[in-house]
Amino acid sequence: MSGNVTVPGDKSISHRSLIFGTLARGRTTVRNLLEGDDVLATANAMKALGAKIEKAGDVWTVDGVGNGALLEPKEPLDFGNAGTGSRLTMGLLAPYDFPVTFVGDASLSSRPMGRVLDPLRQTGCQVKAQEGDRLPVTLHGAPLAVPITYRVPVASAQIKSAVLLAGLNIAGTTTVIEPVFTRDHTERMLAGFGADITVETAADGVRTISITGQTDLRPQDITVPGDPSSAAFAIVAGLIVPGSELTVKDVLLNETRTGLLTTLQEMGANITIKNRRETGGEEIGDIHVANSSLTGVTVPAERAPSMIDEYPILAVAAAFADGETRMEGLEELRVKECDRLAAVARGLEENGVDCTEGEDWLTVRGTGNMAAGGGTVETHLDHRIAMAFLVMGLASQKPVTVDDGAMIATSFREFPDLMASLGGTIEAVA
Ligand code: S3P
């Protein structure tokens, strides 16, 4: 596979651009917004809360209503497959004194929402949810929500962000204590929008993020960098398909997102980052990769937050490496769009790859040769499982089939065309 490509805008930054733009009074512009179904669900929710959101040419405009001025939606907010959109919006609406119901697809309705509902209850928000704090969820904020100090119990940027978003519209100072550093787009972007937010990092790495609520936000002009979690599929394809050499341009290089690059380089991948530069407070660059002989490594648990969405595609790379790759600290993979740890292990087995699945770890034993392939992988409504195994099929001895490609549109609609432009063949079968 060869060529130069760009991938769509970062999903995390795209959701936040729409949400923060809705809270700023005036017009925010967003270039390179990810137009995946997840982000479009967030756009629809923000419209239902009073924002005017439109696309003119390749620029999205968000005419925000102002912090504290969201309208009561007339219908339940439907977030489809989108965990980030739904959880951040729950935080956003927790201090509002009106009822709002959240619904989603079968995958989202099976995911745990208690992780954000617990701190939101502490602000005084009333919550009605299904068994196990699952969707549909109805929130009704307290007339006088109280600021909280919350220590995030699992490494999750979604939980951190939900509490900070609630704090934006609560009088006084809301504090989040984050023992493990997770993606920091909320903190960076809220500072850019003029929120009263401070971040302190202690000597032991624990971060304390404080936000003082009920201040005005200023509209921004945003260009969303390429999503490293989407670039990952092209990068691994370039590494494992014989003879490949390709570049993925303008990719976000925020250190909370680059764990996969570090791991692949430790495995011996021929990866060089060119043209590093800064835009809108984030570092971006062009990632050049060439087909490489990979060796198995141990991926430490501490690295998990910086590559949490990349384990399915790392497991595919590991299947082509020589020796054992051991991935540790994977408990959060069990509550993603599906149980990704199990889905990856079954997919590898189905394609003749030797692996062992533990409670929170996975080992993959590659032979240094092409994986067998030939299997059909169950994707469980999970876009990243689908894309990871389609990449495997580009390099395996026999093609790999996935049972459903529809969910790819949640984050990377262009994936089959982009792979085709690089010379890889992905075909729909009846
Ligand atoms: C995201 C945080 C991560 C990640 C998700 C996007 C975000 O989830 O898996 O795709 O934008 O904050 P967790 O916070 O649950 O780890």
Side-chain angles (χ1 to χ4, degrees):
M1 295 178 54
S2 64
N4 288 345
V5 287
T6 54
V7 290
D10 183 65
K11 184 147 78 77
S12 295
I13 294 179
S14 294
H15 282 298
R16 287 161 174 82
S17 298
L18 295 173
I19 295 172
F20 302 158
T22 296
L23 294 178
R25 205 184 306 271
R27 175 161 291 186
T28 287
T29 62
V30 192
R31 288 179 170 73
N32 202 35
L33 183 84
L34 169 63
E35 295 175 5
D37 291 346
D38 277 12
V39 174
L40 298 180
T42 293
N44 285 337
M46 294 306 116
K47 286 187 204 167
L49 298 171
K52 193 167 150 224
I53 300 180
E54 283 172 352
K55 188 179 179 190
D58 52 9
V59 182
W60 285 80
T61 55
V62 183
D63 290 315
V65 290
N67 187 18
L70 298 177
L71 306 178
E72 179 175 343
K74 296 191 177 66
E75 311 270 341
L77 302 178
D78 186 348
F79 280 93
N81 194 252
T84 304
S86 58
R87 291 187 176 128
L88 268 55
T89 306
M90 285 180 191
L92 176 71
L93 291 174
Y96 280 83
D97 183 13
F98 54 65
V100 51
T101 298
F102 293 76
V103 296
D105 72 3
S107 156
L108 191 59
S109 303
S110 71
R111 297 180 67 183
M113 295 296 160
R115 49 181 52 208
V116 291
L117 297 175
D118 285 343
L120 300 180
R121 286 180 173 111
Q122 292 178 23
T123 69
C125 182
Q126 299 294 315
V127 177
K128 269 194 230 140
Q130 303 307 300
E131 179 77 24
D133 274 342
R134 304 288 202 268
L135 295 187
V137 162
T138 301
L139 302 184
H140 193 143
L144 275 181
V146 291
I148 60 168
T149 294
Y150 193 69
R151 190 180 174 91
V152 184
V154 287
S156 164
Q158 292 179 359
I159 303 177
K160 163 175 69 177
S161 302
V163 177
L164 292 172
L165 277 168
L168 259 184
N169 192 32
I170 296 178
T173 301
T174 294
T175 300
V176 174
I177 299 167
E178 185 181 51
V180 180
F181 192 15
T182 64
R183 67 188 68 194
D184 61 352
H185 309 304
T186 296
E187 302 90 298
R188 284 173 186 249
M189 291 178 72
L190 278 179
F193 274 88
D196 187 353
I197 184 166
T198 58
V199 181
E200 278 167 33
T201 307
D204 59 1
V206 176
R207 297 169 83 243
T208 301
I209 308 147
S210 295
I211 191 157
T212 301
Q214 302 188 336
T215 61
D216 287 338
L217 300 192
R218 292 187 299 264
Q220 297 294 293
D221 294 315
I222 297 167
T223 300
V224 183
D227 193 330
S229 300
S230 298
F233 299 106
I235 291 168
V236 170
L239 293 175
I240 63 175
V241 175
S244 297
E245 184 158 359
L246 57 88
T247 301
V248 191
K249 299 178 80 171
D250 307 335
V251 181
L252 176 69
L253 294 173
N254 179 310
E255 62 168 318
T256 63
R257 303 288 300 279
T258 51
L260 177 73
L261 294 180
T262 306
T263 303
L264 291 172
Q265 282 170 330
E266 286 175 3
M267 294 172 82
N270 182 342
I271 297 180
T272 38
I273 300 176
K274 298 181 175 161
N275 201 11
R276 277 186 188 265
R277 59 210 188 272
E278 220 191 89
T279 166
E282 291 284 8
E283 193 181 9
I284 64 169
D286 303 339
I287 302 174
H288 178 85
V289 303
N291 178 217
S292 307
S293 301
L294 302 176
T295 310
V297 294
T298 294
V299 189
E302 310 82 80
R303 198 176 293 158
S306 67
M307 54 178 295
I308 194 66
D309 292 334
E310 279 67 84
Y311 284 99
I313 192 65
L314 174 64
V316 167
F320 289 79
D322 186 14
E324 182 173 284
T325 296
R326 183 177 168 88
M327 306 166 213
E328 296 174 344
L330 303 190
E331 61 276 6
E332 280 293 299
L333 290 199
R334 299 222 179 258
V335 290
K336 292 296 176 190
E337 283 81 333
C338 73
D339 176 346
R340 278 190 182 155
L341 191 39
V344 166
R346 296 299 84 71
L348 291 173
E349 286 162 4
E350 186 63 28
N351 287 289
V353 180
D354 183 17
C355 67
T356 308
E357 173 196 356
E359 191 51 36
D360 64 351
W361 53 265
L362 178 69
T363 51
V364 180
R365 284 169 291 277
T367 60
N369 296 316
M370 284 176 161
T376 298
V377 176
E378 287 186 48
T379 53
H380 306 282
L381 296 176
D382 190 324
H383 53 138
R384 297 198 202 282
I385 297 296
M387 289 186 279
F389 282 99
L390 289 170
V391 168
M392 171 180 253
L394 295 174
S396 52
Q397 293 167 37
K398 291 190 206 133
V400 173
T401 304
V402 299
D403 65 350
D404 179 11
M407 300 317 288
I408 291 172
T410 62
S411 70
F412 197 177
R413 205 182 295 286
E414 303 79 353
F415 170 79
D417 290 344
L418 185 134
M419 288 298 164
S421 77
L422 291 169
T425 309
I426 295 175
E427 289 170 343
V429 285

